[in-house]
Amino acid sequence: MISTGNDIVSLSAIDVTRTKLPNFYSKILSTPESVLYNEAVAATLPFENFVWLLWSIKESAYKYLQRINPELIFTPVMVVGDQLQVPHDYKPTAFGKNVLSGAGFRDQQTFDTTVTFGQDTIYSKSLVYTDVIVTVVHSSKNFEDTFWGIKWIDNTDNENQSAAVREFLLDNLHKLCGLDNIIIGKNQNAIPVLLKGSEETDIPVSLSHHEHFVAYSFQHF
């Protein structure tokens, strides 16, 4: 499968009290995931951050699989993240007003998860800060052909978020891959695609934004 999927959650925008209510988090977490938190994650992350980490994983997986199967229906509890690996010596820090991009995650401390949805299995890597969570997924555990970026922006209105993440992606397609004269459009299923002229390229892209943060991922061989 050649695809990509990413998601971003600004933790300053979440409702902590609501997130902790069973009526809310039970729509996101499966029973095994709730057990996983108590057994393996409680000492590392607050419960509300764990819920939104799993949301970002599930949303990223859905974006990845929807590109392949546009008829897919997103039901968060049916997307199961397990075998969660917490990075060694994880120390929570703020992302702040920074910009970060890369190819693969070799130099990053990531929370790694195996994700299953029906018959499909994919893998996720998440960067977890005190103010933002970013997730990218891939069909294998090797993310070396996956490019990603995160950026803080000033203006949080939807139009600016959309413009900022597109500009960020196009700038890094040029810097990281030498790609020019490309625009970002949407296919008939409203999924973002890269166009060169009127032709769709074979480079899958994913875009996300939440409050002051924007992020992208793409695969390029």
Side-chain angles (χ1 to χ4, degrees):
M1 294 187 292
I2 299 176
S3 186
T4 192
N6 83 321
D7 191 53
I8 192 164
V9 176
S10 172
L11 292 173
S12 67
I14 69 171
D15 184 329
V16 174
T17 301
R18 184 177 181 226
T19 300
K20 291 180 178 181
L21 295 175
N23 283 347
F24 180 84
Y25 70 72
S26 64
K27 297 176 182 178
I28 298 173
L29 301 183
S30 65
T31 299
E33 289 165 344
S34 297
V35 173
L36 175 67
Y37 175 76
N38 293 322
E39 292 182 347
V41 190
T44 305
L45 293 178
F47 180 71
E48 63 271 17
N49 289 17
F50 174 74
V51 172
W52 288 106
L53 168 61
L54 267 292
W55 170 267
S56 75
I57 291 169
K58 293 163 186 270
E59 178 71 15
S60 299
Y62 172 67
K63 288 180 179 179
Y64 186 103
L65 295 170
Q66 186 195 28
R67 184 181 303 273
I68 299 161
N69 177 13
E71 303 302 318
L72 200 64
I73 297 175
F74 184 39
T75 308
V77 293
M78 301 300 293
V79 184
V80 179
D82 59 13
Q83 302 176 40
L84 176 65
Q85 296 180 9
V86 176
H88 182 64
D89 293 334
Y90 170 73
K91 295 179 180 179
T93 58
F95 184 79
K97 297 182 180 182
N98 290 317
V99 179
L100 184 64
S101 60
F105 292 88
R106 186 174 300 175
D107 299 322
Q108 306 295 327
Q109 280 196 325
T110 58
F111 288 70
D112 298 349
T113 309
T114 300
V115 187
T116 57
F117 189 11
Q119 300 299 311
D120 295 305
T121 298
I122 55 180
Y123 304 91
S124 72
K125 287 185 177 291
S126 302
L127 300 172
V128 180
Y129 298 91
T130 57
D131 48 355
V132 66
I133 295 171
V134 185
T135 296
V136 179
V137 296
H138 196 289
S139 60
S140 75
K141 295 180 180 179
N142 181 356
F143 280 71
E144 289 184 1
D145 58 2
T146 296
F147 295 76
W148 54 271
I150 318 156
K151 182 178 181 179
W152 189 94
I153 61 173
D154 274 315
N155 190 335
T156 63
D157 72 70
N158 188 70
E159 184 176 341
N160 184 70
Q161 289 173 326
S162 181
V165 71
R166 282 160 172 75
E167 180 182 359
F168 187 33
L169 171 58
L170 291 174
D171 185 50
N172 280 288
L173 281 165
H174 170 72
K175 290 179 179 177
L176 300 172
C177 304
L179 297 174
D180 294 304
N181 302 316
I182 289 176
I183 63 172
I184 302 168
K186 290 187 177 182
N187 66 16
Q188 61 184 3
N189 300 306
I191 295 170
V193 293
L194 292 182
L195 302 171
K196 197 170 183 70
S198 60
E199 296 295 321
E200 183 177 336
T201 72
D202 60 357
I203 302 171
V205 299
S206 180
L207 306 171
S208 58
H209 51 76
H210 191 202
E211 275 216 330
H212 285 284
F213 298 100
V214 298
Y216 70 78
S217 69
F218 68 89
Q219 278 197 47
H220 184 57
F221 300 91

